[in-house]
């Protein structure tokens, strides 16, 4: 059952990622700090509305003190996401996350005393190898040049933050019964306030209501509806499975992202800026095969 939650979240995240990319490409005049703020606010609003339905968890009046450091990390993670979103293909944004399952597997086995079969460990390995295929240039067979040290640092931070979120949520869910909706609403509403203070301090408040912002917000609101749904499904998976298993399944994300980006760019003409030449396409298809096999073994 948890696999279905993960796959559902990946599909939602794929639509989110493609729309996020399109929104930034549509009008490059949007300030990165402003874009980050509106993305966080739209996500908070979408998450709150989802919580009101009670479908994947109710909104609770909780804010555990342990979330305070996560709020600051969330702000940095969101700003770094904006940075890499401007520079990478959507299938490469989660690149460093393909290595995360190894770290989470070690934590689950050594720290939480969980046990995995050889097939599951082999599956995680294949998922990682397949994911790495999406950061290698199909023509030169080298790491794509846009993966600078700063980009790698941003991706690494996002991966670490995602892992911390997962383990903290599991702990709070078990000890305090906190729902995924409440957990993320607490973090990102507070994160939005921090971003607003930064915007005011940097004298950019007027940029929140400019024409570029007006063009940017509508598609981002749609994107964050998918984001909120994907996040709620992800937390449901975490309730039912180990973090390393969920992280391994998340390595299937390039398949879903690739499919959504391909349809959006080739069939509908949207400028996703994904590379779909024959050489790149063949190379990515090999990576997809590894991901499919790895996902089968992990499940």
């Amino acid at each position: 059952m948890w696999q279905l939650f993960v796959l559902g979240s990946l599909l939602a995240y794929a639509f989110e990622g493609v729309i996020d990319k399109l929104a930034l490409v549509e009008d490059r005049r949007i300030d990165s700090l402003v874009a980050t703020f509106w993305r966080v606010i739209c996500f908070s609003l979408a998450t709150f509305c989802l919580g009101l339905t009670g479908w994947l968890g109710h909104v609770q009046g909780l804010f555990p003190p342990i979330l305070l450091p996560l709020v600051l990390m969330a702000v940095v993670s969101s700003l770094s996401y904006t940075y890499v979103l401007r520079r990478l293909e959507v299938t490469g944004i989660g690149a460093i996350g393909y290595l995360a399952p190894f770290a989470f597997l070690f934590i689950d086995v050594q720290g939480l005393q969980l046990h995995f079969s050889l097939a599951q460990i082999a599956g995680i390995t294949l998922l990682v190898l397949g994911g790495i295929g999406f950061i290698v240039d199909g023509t030169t067979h080298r790491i794509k040049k846009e993966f600078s040290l700063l980009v790698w640092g941003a991706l690494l931070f996002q991966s670490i933050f995602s892992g911390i979120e997962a383990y903290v949520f599991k702990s709070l869910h078990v000890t305090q019964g906190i729902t995924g909706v409440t957990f993320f609403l607490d973090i990102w509403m507070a994160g939005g306030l921090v971003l607003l203070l930064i915007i005011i301090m940097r004298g950019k408040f007027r940029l929140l209501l400019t024409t570029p912002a007006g063009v940017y917000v509508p598609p981002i609101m749609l994107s964050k509806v998918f984001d909120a749904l994907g996040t709620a499904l992800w937390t449901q998976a975490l309730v039912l499975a180990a973090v390393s298993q969920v992280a391994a399944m998340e390595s299937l994300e390039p398949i879903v992202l690739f499919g959504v980006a391909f349809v959006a760019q080739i069939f509908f003409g949207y400028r996703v800026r994904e590379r779909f030449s024959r050489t790149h396409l063949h190379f990515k298809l090999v990576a997809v095969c590894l991901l499919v096999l790895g996902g089968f073994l992990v499940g």
Side-chain angles (χ1 to χ4, degrees):
M1 175 62 74
W2 66 268
Q3 293 93 333
L4 295 179
F5 284 124
V6 176
L7 291 176
S9 72
L10 293 182
L11 182 60
Y13 285 147
F15 281 104
E16 176 221 356
V18 170
I19 297 172
D20 281 350
K21 182 72 173 181
L22 287 171
L24 276 180
V25 171
E26 185 68 23
D27 192 339
R28 290 182 172 275
R29 294 177 300 167
I30 184 73
D31 180 81
S32 292
L33 186 57
V34 171
T36 303
F37 170 78
W38 280 122
R39 200 172 59 245
V40 169
I41 293 302
C42 289
F43 172 75
S44 298
L45 179 60
T47 301
F48 177 74
C49 292
L50 180 62
L52 291 180
T53 69
W55 182 39
L56 292 170
H58 293 280
V59 175
Q60 303 161 300
L62 300 175
F63 191 93
I66 194 175
L67 295 186
L68 288 174
L70 268 66
V71 171
L72 299 179
M73 293 184 70
V75 171
V76 176
S77 178
S78 192
L79 288 169
S80 66
Y81 175 68
T82 303
Y83 177 80
V84 299
L85 195 62
R86 288 188 183 276
R87 290 161 175 78
L88 301 183
E89 296 175 286
V90 288
T91 53
I93 290 176
I96 197 67
Y98 310 139
L99 301 178
F102 282 122
F104 298 149
L105 179 65
F106 177 82
I107 293 172
D108 284 340
V109 172
Q110 298 297 324
L112 303 181
Q113 302 300 310
L114 299 179
H115 301 282
F116 300 95
S117 67
L118 289 177
Q120 288 174 317
I121 294 175
I124 291 175
T125 303
L126 289 175
L127 286 170
V128 172
L129 292 176
I132 290 175
F134 281 87
I135 68 172
V136 175
D137 191 300
T139 303
T140 64
H141 298 152
R142 296 181 179 180
I143 301 296
K144 295 173 183 176
K145 61 181 181 180
E146 57 263 34
F147 282 87
S148 64
L149 287 178
L150 190 56
V151 167
W152 276 114
L155 293 172
L156 177 60
F157 183 85
Q158 290 177 56
S159 181
I160 293 172
F161 176 59
S162 178
I164 292 174
E165 278 186 314
Y167 284 110
V168 172
F169 166 72
K170 282 184 72 75
S171 174
L172 290 176
H173 177 75
V174 171
T175 59
Q176 300 185 31
I178 193 171
T179 65
V181 169
T182 299
F183 179 78
F184 283 96
L185 187 60
D186 284 349
I187 291 174
W188 291 103
M189 282 188 66
L193 291 176
V194 173
L195 284 167
L196 180 60
L197 288 175
I198 295 174
I199 287 173
I200 293 173
M201 291 173 62
R202 297 193 61 182
K204 294 186 174 184
F205 185 78
R206 60 182 181 80
L207 297 180
L208 294 175
L209 302 176
T210 58
T211 298
V215 173
Y216 181 75
V217 170
I220 284 301
M221 189 66 246
L222 175 61
S223 164
K224 295 309 118 179
V225 169
F226 285 114
D227 192 3
L229 177 60
T231 300
L233 292 170
W234 181 68
T235 55
Q236 290 298 308
L238 287 172
V239 171
L240 300 173
V243 174
S244 57
Q245 288 177 293
V246 174
M249 284 291 291
E250 286 180 318
S251 294
L252 292 171
E253 184 176 6
I255 299 176
V256 188
L257 267 173
F258 180 76
V260 173
F262 185 85
V263 172
Q265 183 165 305
I266 302 301
F267 290 97
F268 291 96
Y270 292 111
R271 297 181 300 167
V272 183
R273 299 193 177 182
E274 189 77 19
R275 297 169 187 170
F276 289 122
S277 66
R278 179 175 298 181
T279 301
H280 288 98
L281 187 60
H282 289 169
F283 198 80
K284 289 177 179 179
L285 287 175
V286 173
V288 164
C289 291
L290 292 174
L291 291 173
V292 171
L293 179 58
F296 175 78
L297 291 174
V298 169

